[in-house]
Amino acid sequence: MAQTHVQPGKTMTYTNGTGSTIVSGTPVKVGTRLGIASTDIVDGGAGDLLMEEVHSLPKAAVAVSQGNKAYWDDTAKKITNVATANILVGVFWSDAADVDADVPVKLNCMNA
């Protein structure tokens, strides 16, 4: 392996400075990326964020279509299909109606 290799890149170590514990499964915005806390991360502590694969995430009250771009609304803390003022985080893994609370999203750092 090359001496420059750091890690595979499926996770990112994150130091929590939010003032409270980040619960496992919580989406966390880091710059222009979105990761999912793999375990509880106490305030001031470090933990891994999952940066790839498919995760069921809280969705805004909009209908979404499988394969279309998924954006993170950091104000509402929800996934949406609206690009304006939001960050691209991946693609919708399935269709979801506007009344559905969650939707599977394939996170992809390369697309975001």
Side-chain angles (χ1 to χ4, degrees):
M1 179 148 322
Q3 292 180 0
T4 57
H5 184 261
V6 176
Q7 70 178 70
K10 292 184 179 188
T11 64
M12 175 187 287
T13 302
Y14 176 78
T15 301
N16 179 4
T18 64
S20 60
T21 297
I22 297 172
V23 177
S24 175
T26 300
V28 177
K29 180 180 172 235
V30 182
T32 60
R33 303 292 184 253
L34 188 72
I36 309 300
S38 64
T39 60
D40 291 353
I41 307 171
V42 298
D43 184 46
D48 284 338
L49 300 180
L50 305 170
M51 302 303 291
E52 296 182 351
E53 302 190 10
V54 180
H55 299 270
S56 181
L57 300 175
K59 184 186 65 60
V62 295
V64 299
S65 298
Q66 181 179 38
N68 285 346
K69 292 177 181 178
Y71 299 88
W72 179 248
D73 178 339
D74 200 48
T75 301
K77 304 294 187 210
K78 296 188 179 202
I79 288 290
T80 183
N81 58 358
V82 177
T84 305
N86 298 315
I87 59 170
L88 177 62
V89 296
V91 297
F92 293 107
W93 211 242
S94 67
D95 293 342
D98 58 349
V99 295
D100 292 331
D102 301 299
V103 64
V105 173
K106 167 72 166 83
L107 296 182
N108 187 342
C109 284
M110 297 309 292
N111 283 344

